[in-house]
Amino acid sequence: MGWTISHGIKNTRSATTIHNLAQHLAHVLPASDWRTIETVFGDRSGDPFRVPHTDARQIAAVLRRGASHRKMPADWGDLAREFADAAQKAANARQSWEWS
């Protein structure tokens, strides 16, 4: 299964890719930051969902922190920044960040 993610994620992302990104983020983020993004990157049922724009703003900030962490591999950091940019675009537009 793949995820189509709104606001700038160009390609469908596989569930495996999302899971692997989550593992990298969990490794570098403190627990309080992980709790902020867990609703998106934690275990998902596979059903489409929307992230309110206020939550998307917070998620973008956490993703940027994770992407910039010294222990984050560069390629996974790039992916985390791509997700952060999409979440920020949704927040700036006051639109839900949609995953389907």
Side-chain angles (χ1 to χ4, degrees):
M1 177 189 138
W3 286 101
T4 300
I5 305 162
S6 71
H7 293 87
I9 304 294
K10 294 185 185 344
N11 300 316
T12 300
R13 302 298 176 158
S14 71
T16 301
T17 296
I18 301 300
H19 174 77
N20 289 338
L21 177 58
Q23 292 297 310
H24 285 289
L25 290 165
H27 180 71
V28 301
L29 292 172
S32 60
D33 279 349
W34 174 252
R35 283 190 295 274
T36 300
I37 65 169
E38 186 174 21
T39 58
V40 174
F41 291 96
D43 291 330
R44 302 282 327 164
S45 66
D47 294 332
F49 64 97
R50 295 176 182 208
V51 178
H53 69 88
T54 52
D55 293 346
R57 186 174 315 281
Q58 293 175 320
I59 290 168
V62 170
L63 288 171
R64 283 194 183 91
R65 284 195 292 276
S68 299
H69 194 279
R70 64 184 174 79
K71 291 186 177 180
M72 176 65 80
D75 53 343
W76 291 104
D78 290 344
L79 184 59
R81 273 186 282 286
E82 183 180 354
F83 277 68
D85 291 346
Q88 190 65 54
K89 284 180 189 175
N92 290 347
R94 295 180 167 258
Q95 298 172 343
S96 295
W97 190 30
E98 300 182 11
W99 291 54
S100 57

